[in-house]
Amino acid sequence: MIANMLAKVGRAVRENIASVGFATRSFFTLLGVTPGALRRPGLISEQIHFIGNYSLVIIIVSGLFVGMVLGLQGYITLTPYGAEQKLGQVVALALVRELGPVVTALLFAGRAGTSLTAQIGLMKAGEQLSAMEMMAINPVQRVLAPRFWAGVIAMPILGTIFSAVGVVGGYLVGVQLIGVDEGAFWSQMQANVDVRHDVVNGIIKSFVFGIAVTFTALFQGYQAQPTPEDVSRATTRTVVIASLTVWGLDFVMTAMMFN
């Protein structure tokens, strides 16, 4: 019984290691065909519209409400210390450093990531990718690479929009609803939010999250078995793996950037 259990554990570990190695090789293969994909910018711009524009509504609405909640909770937390004038700084730093990139990546995984996985999986199930190979067209270069770079480009833009709308939400609650001094709200934000240390680092986080989430979505769709059941399971794996990857990368990058 113990031997069987050890055998199952060993098999699972071996399969996971093999999967990680195959994903790594696939990632570098995707990077290798990038020059060919960049020669057709129309494909990338079309996918940026599909990925970014269709995710814009949920990003704006979520950013607004997250900023409003931050404004309310920040005021409740700062008031006992007489520091409610710092509300603008607290809201902006929380959004730019952490919540903007992370929440955007999670929403991106749930909205655009699952869509990419299902799209690639259904193309494989319909043998469209096999048909491209028969016509001497590399499906990785023609299908996967434009979607990959579109996601990498769209993620920092969406993260920036999320943070900006969140600041507006914090302003509406803190200044317009509660009554925090408007001048103090903006002046504290401008004085304590550093462009290089805070804003640029947040954009770098969004860029890395874009790579991780988009590649995870494409890899899961490309490796899915050509059946409706496995394509549906692949979309679920995309959300789970991408979300856990985002949280892990966020911890590592936060420790490196803000220690």
Side-chain angles (χ1 to χ4, degrees):
M1 181 177 179
I2 296 178
N4 290 335
M5 183 177 64
L6 292 176
K8 291 180 180 178
V9 172
R11 188 183 306 113
V13 172
R14 185 184 64 183
E15 290 176 353
N16 288 329
I17 293 175
S19 179
V20 171
F22 185 68
T24 303
R25 187 177 67 179
S26 300
F27 178 73
F28 285 106
T29 300
L30 185 60
L31 293 181
V33 300
T34 293
L38 294 179
R39 287 196 289 267
R40 304 185 68 177
L43 296 176
I44 299 178
S45 62
E46 179 183 344
Q47 293 303 319
I48 290 176
H49 177 269
F50 172 75
I51 294 172
N53 190 50
Y54 291 169
S55 302
L56 194 59
V57 173
I58 189 173
I59 293 296
I60 291 176
V61 174
S62 300
L64 181 65
F65 281 107
V66 168
M68 293 171 70
V69 171
L70 278 176
L72 183 60
Q73 292 286 2
Y75 180 82
I76 294 172
T77 303
L78 294 173
T79 298
Y81 305 99
E84 60 271 11
Q85 305 302 321
K86 293 279 189 179
L87 182 62
Q89 173 189 346
V90 171
V91 171
L93 288 178
L95 286 167
V96 171
R97 286 184 175 184
E98 291 296 330
L99 292 179
V102 172
V103 177
T104 300
L106 297 177
L107 293 173
F108 186 87
R111 168 61 181 86
T114 54
S115 178
L116 288 174
T117 300
Q119 190 178 43
I120 300 301
L122 291 175
M123 290 179 69
K124 188 175 182 180
E127 298 186 348
Q128 297 178 37
L129 301 182
S130 299
M132 289 183 181
E133 293 177 350
M134 293 291 292
M135 293 184 291
I137 299 174
N138 187 349
V140 176
Q141 178 178 317
R142 178 62 175 78
V143 178
L144 268 65
R147 288 165 172 79
F148 174 75
W149 288 108
V152 172
I153 294 171
M155 179 73 79
I157 299 174
L158 293 173
T160 303
I161 294 174
F162 184 97
S163 299
V165 174
V167 169
V168 173
Y171 166 81
L172 292 176
V173 171
V175 176
Q176 300 297 329
L177 182 63
I178 298 177
V180 175
D181 182 72
E182 182 175 359
F185 182 91
W186 294 114
S187 63
Q188 289 292 330
M189 184 187 306
Q190 294 171 357
N192 294 285
V193 177
D194 184 73
V195 173
R196 184 188 63 82
H197 190 251
D198 298 317
V199 178
V200 173
N201 282 341
I203 294 175
I204 292 173
K205 279 188 175 185
S206 294
F207 180 78
V208 175
F209 294 159
I211 294 175
V213 173
T214 309
F215 174 73
T216 299
L218 295 175
F219 179 77
Q220 292 298 326
Y222 195 68
Q223 295 304 313
Q225 296 297 319
T227 61
E229 294 81 5
D230 202 64
V231 171
S232 64
R233 285 194 291 266
T235 58
T236 303
R237 289 196 300 269
T238 293
V239 176
V240 174
I241 296 173
S243 299
L244 294 177
T245 303
V246 166
W247 287 116
L249 290 173
D250 181 57
F251 172 77
V252 173
M253 287 189 290
T254 299
M256 294 173 61
M257 292 175 176
F258 304 108
N259 59 4

